[in-house]
Amino acid sequence: MDVGGFSKFVAFRAPVKGRTPDGQRIIEMQERFSIWAKLVPMRGGEAVMQARLASKSPASVTVPRTRDTELVTSEWEVVVDGRTYQLKEDPRESHNRAFLDMLVEAVS
């Protein structure tokens, strides 16, 4: 994969458990790190078209494999150009193990 395709600077956010002042449990998303990534919108297919109708915008995000990116799980979020995407699966290694690919879906 050509590193020149990594044109988006994205922020990864992890869930953090906390409590409100009145003692209720909440889960907040806290930014962990930022990195250059490649965002590719999904094309075609009935499931993709159905997701688009529901304003979910499925896409694929590819990042270089680093210590930080190896911590990412399906519970995390990624923010690209101010738009939040939820990870739909744990990251997968690329064929040469230098990158991680993940399926995401826009939520805002």
Side-chain angles (χ1 to χ4, degrees):
M1 179 175 287
D2 180 21
V3 184
F6 290 73
S7 60
K8 302 285 185 183
F9 198 66
V10 302
F12 279 89
R13 301 190 309 189
V16 177
K17 295 178 184 176
R19 291 193 180 268
T20 61
D22 60 347
Q24 293 182 351
R25 290 182 178 205
I26 58 170
I27 295 179
E28 298 177 320
M29 299 306 279
Q30 186 177 64
E31 187 171 324
R32 295 295 183 163
F33 63 91
S34 297
I35 193 167
W36 287 99
K38 181 178 183 179
L39 176 74
V40 179
M42 301 294 278
R43 306 214 181 266
E46 187 174 331
V48 172
M49 294 302 183
Q50 186 176 13
R52 284 193 185 137
L53 290 173
S55 298
K56 293 187 178 178
S57 301
S60 174
V61 173
T62 303
V63 294
R65 188 174 182 170
T66 66
R67 288 183 184 160
D68 287 333
T69 57
E70 287 182 351
L71 299 174
V72 175
T73 68
S74 60
E75 297 174 342
W76 289 42
E77 293 179 344
V78 60
V79 180
V80 182
D81 294 333
R83 191 167 189 192
T84 303
Y85 292 83
Q86 288 181 336
L87 272 70
K88 293 309 205 181
E89 61 184 8
D90 287 337
R92 300 176 314 273
E93 293 180 341
S94 64
H95 66 283
N96 63 1
R97 301 180 64 158
F99 302 100
L100 294 175
D101 300 315
M102 50 204 86
L103 181 63
V104 297
E105 212 170 62
V107 292
S108 68

